[in-house]
Amino acid sequence: MVMESNISGSETHGDFGFAFNDANFSDRLLRIEITGSGEVSCSSVGDLVRNRKRRREDSNKEATSTAGVLDLGSYHVESNLNSENNKNNKEHEETQSGGDYENESYCKLTSPLVLRVKELHISSPILASKSPFFYKLFSNGMRESEQRHVTLSIDASEEVAVMELLNFMYTNSLSVTTAPALLDVLTVADKFEVASCMKYCCNFLLNTPMTLDFALLLLELPSSIQAAASVEPLTNAARQFIASRYKNISKVQLNELMALPLVGLEAIIASDDLQVISEDTLYELVLRWAKTHYSVSEERQEILASLANYIRFPHMSCPRLRKIWTSDDFTHPDKTRLVLEALFFKAESQHRQRSRASKKHDSLAHWYVERDYKFRPIKIVEFEIPRQQCIVYLDLSHKECAGLYPSNQLYSQAFHLGGQGFFLIADCNMKQPNSFHFGLYIAIQECGLVSLTVECEFAARSKPTEEFVGKSKMRYTFTGNISVGLRNLFAIPWESFMAKTCPYFINDVLHLRAKLSICP
């Protein structure tokens, strides 16, 4: 008999709890074998996740016909079985030795120890309406589908969750409310394809207070579960929680960061809102984490190659990219692809860069998005003749400039000239009471015993021509760690600088240029 069933996973309303395990409203007997190795079985969802690979291999086998029996998951079908434990053990032993049974169909790829047996009266129409798994079991057209006795083998760690799942298929409700128990039910609901129960668990879990352990546990669920539409909001919430917790990564204790599992690190470095000194600094942390967890070079290269999908190589400095090129952090093909793609991006116009970062349908678009860097990325053009000179371009958004008020500073990435390291500083400063201005300065990282004389010119793009207009030109001899520049670069008050009519913001971006030359 082939029964009609809704196998799309949509919810079926109605409470049939009165029929659960009642012979008067049932057409079959479900025999549940609880199996194990004989050792203490795992009972927590943490153990469940750690053993997910083995369990998923057992439970996600494709529907095939083996010895005339439909294999779905890890169940087998039997008929004419006695429920007494002694006979069960005897049959188990005879099956292992190749025993044969008359009028009985029995298929089992592995034969773990049967710890105990439960029998339930079930209604095949109710179970088939909620689960494609049971629908296939009861309507596969084979002789076994017409038998009254059906045997289901489950691991001991799944027993409580399976009983909850079966009860849900009758009542549309669960008695468990704790996160670990709900995750156990979610896992077996995925295994037996009960989409309505998965949705129920996820809706309940979304209202559960998020913790770091809970978030990591969600992200360690098998990929087949995470791929379900009902689970996606839950895993997204877990990623957002971790990203928010570690948003300002410079304030995180290093040992706490190093102790995170792979899924936790991925959630952090995938975030566009991550506050970090620079992408160079973030890469150093990722590299240190990889070396802490993977001592074998080949394994470390493989992990770094997967993490490279979240690292913004185009926003690294050229010295850092050069160091990656000469290192063994990646295989040669991987580092060639990563470094060259980053350099090609740097060479593109700012318009094309913004365009690539905004393409939502491009799987690598996030690769080009700038984070909230403490050291802002810059573009540099260097000359050696007729004298040592470099031109530095720094772009700041209107939002970044607004964040400088009333007394904050913003730093650029470092650049080098004449063997010395320099960086730019933008700030909001108060020259006199209630009078704020936008300032721009150049600072030297270190200065040795020999003094260095530098000629510097600041400029900014301005409407309507949108060409660079010079704002300051100075000559200074650096003899120590000091910054020089203008406290009021544009000679206008802060309010005028931030106004919508300000000519220096083009599409909400302030384009600054600093030209530095070594003086003889």
Side-chain angles (χ1 to χ4, degrees), residues 154-301:
I154 64 172
D155 189 80
S157 64
E158 300 173 315
E159 179 182 357
V160 174
V162 168
M163 295 305 296
E164 283 286 341
L165 177 66
L166 291 171
N167 184 71
F168 176 89
M169 296 169 77
Y170 279 82
T171 65
N172 293 312
S173 63
L174 297 172
S175 64
V176 296
T177 57
T178 63
L182 286 166
L183 283 175
D184 281 333
V185 176
L186 176 66
T187 303
V188 296
D190 171 69
K191 176 178 179 179
F192 295 110
E193 304 175 69
V194 187
S196 58
C197 187
M198 293 182 69
K199 184 177 180 180
Y200 180 97
C201 292
C202 291
N203 289 340
F204 205 105
L205 289 168
L206 278 171
N207 295 317
T208 301
M210 191 70 71
T211 65
L212 178 60
D213 288 339
F214 180 37
L216 293 173
L217 194 57
L218 290 173
L219 298 181
E220 289 177 331
L221 288 172
S223 58
S224 64
I225 299 180
Q226 294 192 44
S230 59
V231 181
E232 186 177 358
L234 194 59
T235 52
N236 286 342
R239 291 187 185 92
Q240 291 171 5
F241 174 84
I242 295 175
S244 178
R245 178 186 175 97
Y246 295 98
K247 182 176 181 178
N248 192 339
I249 202 168
S250 61
K251 294 184 178 180
V252 180
Q253 293 291 330
L254 183 61
N255 58 348
E256 180 181 355
L257 189 65
M258 293 297 108
L260 287 174
L262 177 62
V263 293
L265 185 68
E266 286 177 339
I268 295 172
I269 65 177
S271 173
D272 293 341
D273 299 324
L274 184 65
Q275 296 176 1
V276 62
I277 292 176
S278 67
E279 200 70 25
D280 292 12
T281 303
L282 180 64
Y283 179 76
E284 289 294 338
L285 288 173
V286 172
L287 184 60
R288 183 166 182 173
W289 179 93
K291 290 181 177 179
T292 300
H293 291 265
Y294 300 91
S295 58
V296 179
S297 177
E298 290 76 11
E299 293 180 353
R300 186 167 61 251
Q301 287 178 338

Side-chain angles (χ1 to χ4, degrees), residues 352-414:
R352 288 182 59 84
Q353 288 179 348
R354 288 192 294 270
S355 176
R356 295 188 70 175
S358 63
K359 291 182 179 178
K360 296 182 179 180
H361 300 294
D362 186 347
S363 60
L364 289 179
H366 68 279
W367 216 50
Y368 308 110
V369 177
E370 291 186 13
R371 305 184 198 267
D372 187 2
Y373 298 117
K374 181 178 179 181
F375 293 163
R376 299 295 300 141
I378 53 177
K379 273 193 170 184
I380 309 171
V381 179
E382 300 180 12
F383 301 92
E384 290 294 330
I385 54 176
R387 58 174 175 167
Q388 287 184 301
Q389 183 183 63
C390 70
I391 303 175
V392 183
Y393 297 91
L394 172 65
D395 294 344
L396 302 178
S397 68
H398 191 277
K399 181 180 179 181
E400 288 173 325
C401 291
L404 295 176
Y405 184 85
S407 58
N408 295 323
Q409 294 181 320
L410 189 150
Y411 304 88
S412 78
Q413 289 180 339

Side-chain angles (χ1 to χ4, degrees), residues 16-55:
F16 299 99
F18 65 88
F20 184 63
N21 198 22
D22 191 323
N24 295 321
F25 300 97
S26 304
D27 62 336
R28 298 178 189 257
L29 185 68
L30 178 65
R31 184 174 183 272
I32 304 176
E33 288 185 349
I34 294 90
T35 64
S37 62
E39 301 174 355
V40 178
S41 62
C42 58
S43 59
S44 69
V45 74
D47 292 332
L48 184 74
V49 170
R50 280 189 290 272
N51 292 297
R52 63 187 180 276
K53 182 177 180 180
R54 174 184 60 81
R55 299 251 293 278

Side-chain angles (χ1 to χ4, degrees), residues 442-476:
I442 179 174
I444 195 167
Q445 284 185 315
E446 296 179 1
C447 192
L449 298 177
V450 179
S451 63
L452 184 66
T453 302
V454 176
E455 182 178 273
C456 178
E457 178 185 353
F458 291 137
R461 289 189 187 274
S462 178
K463 296 176 182 177
T465 64
E466 297 185 355
E467 298 294 333
F468 279 103
V469 177
K471 293 296 178 182
S472 170
K473 191 172 184 178
M474 66 187 74
R475 184 186 180 103
Y476 189 82

